[in-house]
């Protein structure tokens, strides 16, 4: 079996949104991972180091699995018709169309979440509805061929779920074991509803996130119905 994973790379991507699931996919038998952007120049991530694309939009193979990570840079793609067109074209032939974190908004702006259940990072979750999605609070949400992961680290869970579906649970478990993916965080503060999460931080983060991103999402929503 050959599995072509095409991941969209873009400036200011949250690198773990990309590298977490890519690390899982790279462990699958016959998997080939392609990092797609406009050209082959290094792309700066949100943590200050760059990742080099392996293929251009023009030369990317048809994806079996399409992966769209998130980050603040994802919101720049909402008004980037060439990137959105690439996502649409790839999605038409993919077995699985996936996103991590706010990569879901790119899928939404491409018209791929209309009427579908989806998830994203908790701070941006409510805005999914603006793009016609049905927001669902879960680590991983599947609706047809579209599989969305929650915030950042949920990308690993999403990739393991895809691995179990496209291969089998044994292959997914083998990848999990090889990566020693056995989360045991020192604090119970990983979601807003967890007992050690700071309510003030939750409120401030949601407010700041909506202030920074909502207008871009609304403009994308207007183009969907325009």
């Amino acid at each position: 079996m050959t599995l072509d994973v095409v991941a969209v790379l873009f400036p200011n991507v949250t690198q773990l949104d990309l590298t977490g699931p890519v690390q899982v996919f790279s462990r699958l038998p016959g998997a080939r991972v392609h990092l797609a952007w406009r050209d082959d120049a290094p792309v700066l991530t949100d943590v200050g180091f760059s990742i080099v694309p392996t293929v251009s939009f023009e030369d990317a193979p048809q994806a079996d699995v399409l992966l769209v990570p998130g980050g603040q840079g994802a919101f720049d793609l909402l008004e980037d018709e060439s990137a959105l067109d690439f996502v649409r074209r790839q999605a038409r032939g993919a077995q699985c169309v996936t996103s991590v974190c706010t990569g879901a908004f790119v899928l939404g702006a491409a018209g791929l979440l209309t009427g579908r259940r989806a998830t994203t990072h908790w701070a941006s979750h409510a805005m999914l509805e603006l793009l016609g999605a049905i927001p669902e609070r879960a680590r991983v949400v599947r609706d047809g061929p579209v599989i969305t992961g929650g915030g950042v680290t949920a990308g690993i869970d999403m990739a393991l779920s895809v691995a179990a579906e496209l291969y089998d649970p044994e292959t997914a478990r083998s990848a999990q074991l090889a990566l020693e993916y056995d989360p045991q965080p020192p604090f119970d503060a990983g979601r807003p509803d967890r007992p050690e999460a700071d309510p003030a931080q939750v409120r401030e983060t949601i407010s700041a996130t909506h202030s920074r991103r909502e207008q871009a999402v609304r403009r994308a929503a207007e183009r969907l119905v325009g």
Side-chain angles (χ1 to χ4, degrees):
M1 175 177 179
T2 298
L3 186 78
D4 281 307
V5 178
V6 176
V8 182
L9 180 60
F10 51 84
N12 209 17
V13 64
T14 294
Q15 66 82 23
L16 189 55
D17 286 6
L18 173 68
T19 57
V22 160
Q23 189 69 62
V24 173
F25 291 136
S26 71
R27 294 279 180 167
L28 304 179
R32 301 182 297 197
V33 176
H34 312 273
L35 307 181
W37 184 232
R38 282 188 238 287
D39 52 44
D40 60 1
V43 175
L44 189 65
T45 70
D46 67 337
V47 292
F49 62 74
S50 295
I51 296 176
V52 180
T54 62
V55 69
S56 68
F57 287 164
E58 183 178 347
D59 295 330
Q62 171 58 55
D64 297 305
V65 177
L66 175 64
L67 167 64
V68 183
Q72 184 58 33
F75 293 87
D76 295 330
L77 296 191
L78 303 192
E79 302 185 63
D80 184 334
E81 193 53 41
S82 67
L84 293 178
D85 185 59
F86 175 75
V87 169
R88 292 186 195 101
R89 287 187 285 108
Q90 286 285 340
R92 283 195 289 269
Q95 296 180 59
C96 294
V97 177
T98 73
S99 67
V100 181
C101 197
T102 53
F105 288 91
V106 178
L107 297 185
L112 301 173
L113 293 186
T114 304
R116 293 189 185 276
R117 295 175 296 107
T119 191
T120 188
H121 190 281
W122 56 265
S124 298
H125 199 268
M127 290 189 288
L128 278 176
E129 194 170 9
L130 296 173
L131 295 173
I134 303 167
E136 182 173 312
R137 294 195 181 276
R139 188 80 169 163
V140 179
V141 172
R142 172 165 191 162
D143 193 326
V146 178
I147 305 174
T148 52
V152 192
T153 59
I156 298 174
D157 299 55
M158 180 277 293
L160 289 169
S161 299
V162 171
E165 176 175 329
L166 296 184
Y167 290 80
D168 49 55
E170 290 73 23
T171 299
R173 283 194 287 267
S174 177
Q176 179 180 1
L177 179 59
L179 297 174
E180 197 176 345
Y181 180 54
D182 182 28
Q184 299 178 44
F187 307 107
D188 194 0
R191 288 185 53 83
D193 58 355
R194 303 310 303 160
E196 294 186 82
D198 180 357
Q201 180 184 351
V202 171
R203 291 191 300 270
E204 291 165 6
T205 301
I206 291 175
S207 176
T209 297
H210 280 245
S211 176
R212 188 167 66 250
R213 297 172 171 174
E214 187 169 334
Q215 289 308 307
V217 177
R218 288 188 179 278
R219 289 193 296 271
E222 289 170 1
R223 286 191 292 275
L224 283 176
V225 298

